[in-house]
Each structure stands twice: as C-alpha cells, then as structure tokens.
Amino acid sequence: EAQVTQNPRYLITVTGKKLTVTCSQNMNHEYMSWYRQDPGLGLRQIYYSMNVEVTDKGDVPEGYKVSRKEKRNFPLILESPSPNQTSLYFCASSSQGRAGELFFGEGSRLTVL
Amino acid sequence: GNSVTQMEGPVTLSEEAFLTINCTYTATGYPSLFWYVQYPGEGLQLLLKATKADDKGSNKGFEATYRKETTSFHLEKGSVQVSDSAVYFCALTIGSGSARQLTFGSGTQLTVLP
C-alpha cells in the first residue's frame, strides 16, 4: 500500500529537549516536504527536498532542520524546541513529474511545554 | 507572489444541501489548481485538480472549474452527505516542476448535519 508514515503521531516534550520526527515514503518519490498546520493559518511549508541531498527552506524554517540521506526518508529535527513550535506537523511526498499531487502522512501532533 | 484566498468558515449545512466553497487566487504565470480534503484526524488527500483554464476537475460528486477571467476555482457539490464533513483546502502550484510545490489557502471547515 502506498503511504507516507510519520512517527511519533503524538509527542509532549519540554523546551530545549531535542527531538526528531521521522517521515518515510514507499512510493519512490523524489519530492518530500514538511508542513505545519496551525488554526487560522492553514498549512505552512517548513522545508522541502527535491531529491537526495537536496533540501531548501520553505516559508517558516526557523528552529527546524532536515536531512535527506536516503530517498525514502526525510526526518524533521527540532534542535531546541520552544512552545511556539507546538503544532500539527505533516510530511508529504510526490513524484517530480506530478507537481502539486501530494501524498500526506497522518500527522504528528507536537506539544512543547 | 502567489496566494490563495478561501471563504471564511465554518460552514454548516443540512444533508442533501448544495455546497459552494469559494476560492480565488493570485499567481504569477499559469497555475495548476487543486482542492484537498482533510477528514478528522487524518492527513490531507487530493480531491480534484485542474491544470488549465476552463478545465473542470471532479471527484466523489465534487466539482470545480478553473476560471482564469475571475481567477477562481470554487468547489461545488449538489447534495452533501454527513460523511463530507471535513476541512477543505484550495491550493495552487506554478509549472510542472515547481520547486516549492503547493501554496495553500487557510482551509474551510464544513460540517454536514443529518
């Protein structure tokens, strides 16, 4: 089954404690992206990757890092989380030739105390 | 820059009512337009798309027509069901290989009552 898998789905942590949200896709997609969803703001792009070892900033990259060492994985790293990073995070992927047709993970709800 | 504006929600309808969710866009170039749906507790799913002017996208009884003259892509359904309750997002992208992919609207919450 084609899918994008995120872990953890739910996490409560404290300010400053480094965490990683993993994302894996099994569709051999070149493009992967991270979004955060906040009430009234819709989805905002954090980082995206066009392919292995190619990443770039989205609209709200501050406080986040990513890496793309393998085609299937695109982890989101919060080196020193702060309360304003409390949000619902989505990973998405697509084939390079089908821009805009994203497959989304189920989301990771992060709370930073 | 590119932007998408959706009608404010939430929208509450009775079952079998007609649905319209307005979406207008601003874009440099010729965008492709999309509607995504997010059911409670799930990620977004592509609902329909249109890639050029006057195209009509359709799926699951939903339709939207790409209107270049009014820069709009309104979502319609003739008879909504309780199972259509979800958040709907309008989005656009420019070009077949756009590096930034999608620009999303803020979403419209739809609740359908039995």
Side-chain angles (χ1 to χ4, degrees), chain B residues 18-52:
Chain B
F18 184 85
L19 168 71
T20 299
I21 300 178
N22 290 337
C23 171
T24 57
Y25 67 88
T26 302
T28 53
Y30 300 96
S32 295
L33 301 172
F34 304 82
W35 277 100
Y36 277 79
V37 58
Q38 184 181 28
Y39 298 105
E42 299 183 9
L44 282 73
Q45 304 172 25
L46 178 63
L47 181 59
L48 54 84
K49 69 172 186 177
T51 58
K52 61 182 187 299

Side-chain angles (χ1 to χ4, degrees), chain A residues 9 31 35 37 40-43 45 48 50 57-59 88 90 94-102 104-106, chain B residues 32 34 36 38 41-46 49 87 89 93-107:
Chain A
R9 295 288 312 281
Y31 178 91
Y35 293 87
Q37 183 179 24
L41 297 177
L43 276 83
Q45 190 180 50
Y48 64 95
M50 299 295 288
K57 297 177 181 179
D59 298 314
L88 179 58
F90 287 101
S94 76
S95 171
Q96 199 73 303
R98 302 185 73 83
E101 296 184 30
L102 293 176
F104 281 82
E106 292 185 312
Chain B
S32 295
F34 304 82
Y36 277 79
Q38 184 181 28
E42 299 183 9
L44 282 73
Q45 304 172 25
L46 178 63
K49 69 172 186 177
V87 181
F89 292 90
T93 190
I94 301 288
S96 61
S98 172
R100 293 290 304 276
Q101 291 278 328
L102 290 165
T103 297
F104 285 93
S106 58

